[in-house]
């Protein structure tokens, strides 16, 4: 990755948006129930990332961690 110039700005922006969404989920119950594909739809639409179904479980763990810290 380093030899290729690092991660793309799109991936970095997608990550920022995802973290912001997880943080908003503390106060927005609808986000707590939304599937990953819906949470990252803007980044998918922009072509910054691709959907990978196994990340649904990781997303649930991330959400649990964020909510536990509330």
């Amino acid at each position: 990755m380093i030899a290729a110039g690092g991660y793309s700005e799109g991936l970095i922006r997608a990550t920022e948006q995802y973290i912001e969404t997880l943080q908003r989920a503390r106060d927005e119950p609808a986000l707590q129930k939304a599937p990953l594909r819906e949470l990252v739809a803007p980044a998918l639409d922009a072509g910054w990332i691709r959907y990978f179904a196994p990340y649904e479980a990781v997303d649930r763990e991330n959400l649990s961690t964020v909510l536990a810290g509330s």
Side-chain angles (χ1 to χ4, degrees), residues 40-54:
V40 299
L44 292 169
D45 293 344
W48 297 339
I49 59 172
R50 290 179 297 190
Y51 178 74
F52 185 61

Side-chain angles (χ1 to χ4, degrees), residues 6-62:
Y7 292 102
S8 71
E9 288 182 30
L11 176 61
I12 294 167
R13 185 67 189 128
T15 303
E16 291 172 338
Q17 288 178 357
Y18 174 67
I19 292 169
E20 290 166 3
T21 300
L22 286 176
Q23 292 171 336
R24 285 183 23 232
R26 291 176 178 147
D27 300 318
E28 298 180 38
L31 291 176
Q32 297 173 17
K33 297 179 177 129
L36 177 60
R37 188 183 294 264
E38 185 177 314
L39 296 178
V40 299
L44 292 169
D45 293 344
W48 297 339
I49 59 172
R50 290 179 297 190
Y51 178 74
F52 185 61
Y55 281 151
E56 291 285 349
V58 175
D59 173 58
R60 296 291 104 195
E61 289 179 33
N62 291 341

